[in-house]
Amino acid sequence: MKTIQNLLIASVLSILPSAAWACHDGACAHASACQGSCGQASCPHHAAMDDDHGTYFLDYADSLGLTQDQISTLNKIRNDARKAEADLTLKIQKAWMELGEAAHGAKPNKKAMEKSSKTIGELKGKMILSHAMSLSQARAVLTPEQQKKITDAHASIGTEAKKTEAATCH
């Protein structure tokens, strides 16, 4: 029986990495705004915003005119954020395992399931906040002119998403 439980938990965990990444399961602020209007995390606006978030503006070093100091600082912010996200992801996976054990035992343990579920929610909240804070730190590294370029680029993405929203989101 224990082997079957372990196999079930392993199969659930095999799909967790994609589900555990907070921003990429529709939980980032931009996705929430988009989902509020169309209910889907896969609309063009959300996809375009994810591209900016994952790079911490480093993919745009040339077009933004980033200095070597800015690049170094942004790399550190990105790497620290990735480490924090990895730590939180592991904790979320552990909580999912505990939830599975509590739910699939000979006698399901409701109290343990509630505790694990609460832990998962709290950890996802921490991940979202950590991600938002790191993006804020990264944006603060940019000059006002560089920030304006990013703001203008985001606005144009929003305009493009609105043009295609009816066709792609509904």
Side-chain angles (χ1 to χ4, degrees), residues 15-64:
I15 63 168
L16 276 181
S18 62
W21 298 93
C23 186
H24 304 291
D25 69 357
C28 81
H30 298 291
S32 296
C34 184
Q35 286 176 334
S37 64
C38 69
Q40 295 184 19
S42 60
C43 89
H45 180 78
H46 178 72
M49 300 304 271
D50 276 349
D51 291 342
D52 286 343
H53 294 180
T55 67
Y56 288 80
F57 313 117
L58 290 165
D59 283 354
Y60 309 105
D62 290 337
S63 62
L64 290 174

